[in-house]
């Protein structure tokens, strides 16, 4: 058969939907606009978000609720740095945590964390959250960050390698629709590894720079049997109850004869 398809088709159960979010504006972004060296300063390493950043969070929260995304997300993964956790909880967390709430409803974020002047945020009616080291700006393997060096930052190649390890780790998770709140450098270096088999416009759409508090939804496809789950929850085998079901492309072929006492039956599927 000549020709080839101009699009790709994959089984649904071998895919996940990822909602990628860069953190809201942090105090390091403001300082970095004035002096780029601020991005390398230990002073801003675990920067909190600014009042403008909180406005960005509020606007994104409104969007994910209006479009119905908030109800579909099964898991929120965040970098363990303060600016990403504030963004993640502010966007995808529950409502404000109030005194007198059920003792089983724990706050996701305490009041005024990071000088935010914000109320505590509850875990009521929101997806589970986990903080993952491999999707943050710098790794931490012990109490002192052995990769932190103000004069020598992790290379783009090393960051991309870490990003791919994180992506592969996602296949160990059962959730199908996941929000990931992380950093611009992590997103840029990781996503540069994807889209090379696509039209240049699509490659650019995948790889373009993320603005503060930007959300971009993408489909991740397992083409190398990485997923732990190997079955579909929606596929149905058919033939229940079992019956004749000869494919139409062989309808012109005669089925085997079946003798039944005084007559012979032939059957074709047309």
């Amino acid at each position: 058969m000549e020709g080839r398809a101009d699009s790709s088709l994959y089984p649904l159960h071998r895919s996940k939907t990822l909602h990628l979010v860069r953190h809201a504006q942090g105090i390091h972004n403001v300082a970095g606009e004035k002096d780029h060296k601020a991005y390398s300063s230990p002073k801003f390493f675990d920067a909190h978000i600014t009042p403008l950043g909180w406005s960005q969070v509020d606007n994104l929260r409104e969007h994910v609720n209006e479009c119905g995304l908030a109800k579909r997300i099964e898991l929120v993964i965040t970098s363990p740095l303060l600016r990403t956790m504030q963004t993640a909880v502010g966007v995808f967390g529950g409502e404000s945590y109030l005194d007198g709430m059920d003792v089983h409803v724990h706050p996701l974020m305490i009041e005024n964390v990071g000088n935010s002047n914000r109320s505590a945020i509850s875990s009521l009616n929101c997806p589970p959250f986990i903080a993952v080291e491999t999707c943050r700006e710098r790794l931490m393997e012990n109490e002192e960050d052995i990769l932190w060096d103000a004069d020598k930052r992790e290379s783009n190649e090393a960051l991309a390698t870490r990003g791919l390890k994180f992506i592969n780790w996602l296949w160990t998770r059962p959730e199908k629709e996941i929000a990931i709140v992380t950093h611009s450098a992590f997103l840029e270096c990781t996503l540069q590894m994807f889209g090379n088999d696509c039209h240049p416009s699509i490659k650019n759409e995948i790889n373009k720079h993320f603005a503060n508090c930007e959300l971009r939804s993408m489909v991740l496809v397992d083409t190398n049997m990485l997923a732990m789950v190997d079955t579909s929850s929606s596929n149905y085998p058919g033939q229940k109850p079992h019956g004749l079901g000869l494919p139409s492309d062989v309808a012109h072929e005669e089925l085997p004869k079946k003798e039944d006492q005084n007559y012979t039956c032939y059957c074709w599927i047309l």
Side-chain angles (χ1 to χ4, degrees), residues 20-222:
L20 307 176
V21 179
R22 181 191 173 193
H23 63 77
Q25 185 196 65
I27 58 172
H28 67 304
N29 296 127
V30 176
E33 287 292 323
K34 300 175 182 178
D35 182 1
H36 194 267
K37 292 181 180 179
Y39 286 115
S40 300
S41 171
K43 176 182 177 182
F44 296 110
F45 171 63
D46 199 18
H48 59 78
I49 63 177
T50 65
L52 176 64
W54 279 111
S55 294
Q56 295 170 344
V57 166
D58 291 339
N59 287 334
L60 181 54
R61 181 184 181 87
E62 181 179 0
H63 168 74
V64 299
N65 279 280
E66 285 182 350
C67 72
L69 178 58
K71 294 182 179 179
R72 301 202 308 270
I73 289 175
E74 301 169 66
L75 176 68
V76 178
I77 298 174
T78 176
S79 154
L81 296 182
L82 181 56
R83 54 191 178 273
T84 44
M85 291 193 293
Q86 286 178 315
T87 302
V89 173
V91 173
F92 300 108
E95 299 300 326
S96 295
Y97 187 84
L98 303 175
D99 291 338
M101 272 189 165
D102 190 301
V103 294
H104 299 294
V105 178
H106 302 289
L108 284 172
M109 187 179 76
I110 62 174
E111 182 179 3
N112 198 36
V113 66
N115 299 315
S116 64
N117 198 31
R118 306 276 291 201
S119 300
I121 296 176
S122 79
S123 58
L124 185 65
N125 299 324
C126 70
F129 285 67
I130 57 173
V132 177
E133 289 283 348
T134 48
C135 69
R136 76 173 176 93
E137 291 270 68
R138 294 290 182 268
L139 293 172
M140 181 179 291
E141 297 182 359
N142 50 41
E143 291 184 358
E144 293 186 2
D145 193 339
I146 60 174
L147 292 185
W148 172 259
D149 185 331
D151 299 316
K152 184 179 179 181
R153 295 171 67 85
E154 188 177 12
S155 69
N156 288 346
E157 292 76 13
L159 190 52
T161 298
R162 175 156 61 85
L164 290 179
K165 289 181 179 178
F166 171 77
I167 294 295
N168 288 342
W169 171 79
L170 292 176
W171 291 113
T172 70
R173 300 291 313 184
E175 297 86 5
K176 302 290 289 182
E177 197 149 356
I178 302 172
I180 300 168
V181 184
T182 182
H183 308 266
S184 60
F186 179 85
L187 288 165
E188 181 177 353
C189 291
T190 302
L191 295 179
Q192 284 291 333
M193 306 300 290
F194 294 89
N196 295 318
D197 56 346
C198 299
H199 187 280
S201 295
I202 298 176
K203 168 75 171 174
N204 181 66
E205 189 175 348
I206 294 172
N207 298 155
K208 66 181 180 180
H209 178 73
F210 273 72
N212 283 124
C213 225
E214 178 180 354
L215 181 152
R216 206 177 299 166
S217 300
M218 300 188 187
V219 176
L220 179 67
V221 176
D222 176 14

Side-chain angles (χ1 to χ4, degrees), residues 205-257:
E205 189 175 348
I206 294 172
N207 298 155
K208 66 181 180 180
H209 178 73
F210 273 72
N212 283 124
C213 225
E214 178 180 354
L215 181 152
R216 206 177 299 166
S217 300
M218 300 188 187
V219 176
L220 179 67
V221 176
D222 176 14
T223 60
N224 288 299
M225 302 293 287
L226 298 173
M228 298 288 287
V229 178
D230 198 35
T231 58
S232 168
S233 61
S234 59
N235 286 0
Y236 184 74
Q239 293 276 40
K240 293 185 178 182
H242 183 75
L244 294 174
L246 186 67
S248 60
D249 60 350
V250 294
H252 63 284
E253 298 179 8
E254 182 178 318
L255 287 176
K257 297 179 181 180

